[in-house]
Amino acid sequence: EAVSSPAGPVWIEIPQNVLLDPVIVPPVEDALAEAADNPPRTELVKEAVKWLAAARRPAIIAGGGARRGRAEPWLLSRAGKLHAPVVCTPGGKGAFPWNHELSLQSWIEDRYTTEVLEDADVLLVVGSSLGEVTSNYFTMEPRGRIIQIDAEPRVLESNRPALGIRADAGQALAALDQALDAVLDGTRGEPDWHGLSAEALVKDTLAR
């Protein structure tokens, strides 16, 4: 449980009478903990691909789950192919290169960043619950559709309606990356942020 996505501390409770009972088995010498597989459901990946392929203003939020799921290479690939601005939550810092031309860095509580996320027609949320800080203290009001990927089912769609995909972030983004490549045929136009490219939008937003 501890090493499987979403990965983290677990609580183990053993009754006192069990701890006090005589032990008749030898000590374990070769225990090996292996993470359980947590891939995304195929039909959800296909639906997410439809949304992203048609998006004109896609944006990405990378949370702590993106780092724990080792999703960094897939996040970089997907953002580049979609020309999507990426902002990291405090827990997601490091998941995306800080000085990349598509990086909104970690100004997640900033009003200008919030406006970009609200204006996205498809918001891809990876490894974040869209909680208090990430939603700029629940002031963010996205006008587009949300795709939310998280290994913890309790956080999916807990704060916003979304296409919820329960999966390890790395596995899910790898599946999205491969599936999107199969449907993007080069005819998709560049993102249009009201006359600005995604790179220009990021530069302008950081300056403000």
Side-chain angles (χ1 to χ4, degrees), residues 32 47 82 96 126:
L32 179 63
E47 187 65 22
L82 289 174
F96 195 74
V126 185

Side-chain angles (χ1 to χ4, degrees), residues 7-8 21 34 96 102 173:
D21 276 348
E34 295 183 353
F96 195 74
L102 289 170
L173 280 186

Side-chain angles (χ1 to χ4, degrees), residues 22-73:
V23 176
I24 60 172
V25 295
V28 175
E29 296 180 356
D30 60 351
L32 179 63
E34 295 183 353
D37 197 32
N38 195 0
R41 292 185 62 90
T42 303
E43 69 274 15
L44 297 178
V45 171
K46 288 180 178 178
E47 187 65 22
V49 164
K50 290 179 185 177
W51 293 15
L52 291 169
R56 301 297 295 129
R57 296 187 307 280
I60 300 173
I61 295 176
R67 290 177 52 249
R68 290 190 297 274
R70 297 177 175 85
E72 293 93 334

Side-chain angles (χ1 to χ4, degrees), residues 136-170:
N136 202 350
Y137 305 98
F138 300 113
T139 63
M140 186 173 70
E141 296 285 346
R143 296 184 290 276
R145 296 190 287 185
I146 299 173
I147 300 168
Q148 187 179 16
I149 298 170
D150 207 287
E152 175 51 71
R154 289 175 295 180
V155 309
L156 286 175
E157 304 181 65
S158 59
N159 290 315
R160 282 283 166 189
L163 175 64
I165 302 176
R166 181 191 180 184
D168 171 77

Side-chain angles (χ1 to χ4, degrees), residues 1 24 55 61 64 75 78 102 106 113 122 124 145 157-158 161 172 176 189:
E1 289 291 336
I24 60 172
I61 295 176
L75 182 62
R78 193 67 276 141
L102 289 170
S106 192
T113 301
V122 177
L124 177 60
R145 296 190 287 185
E157 304 181 65
S158 59
L176 276 179

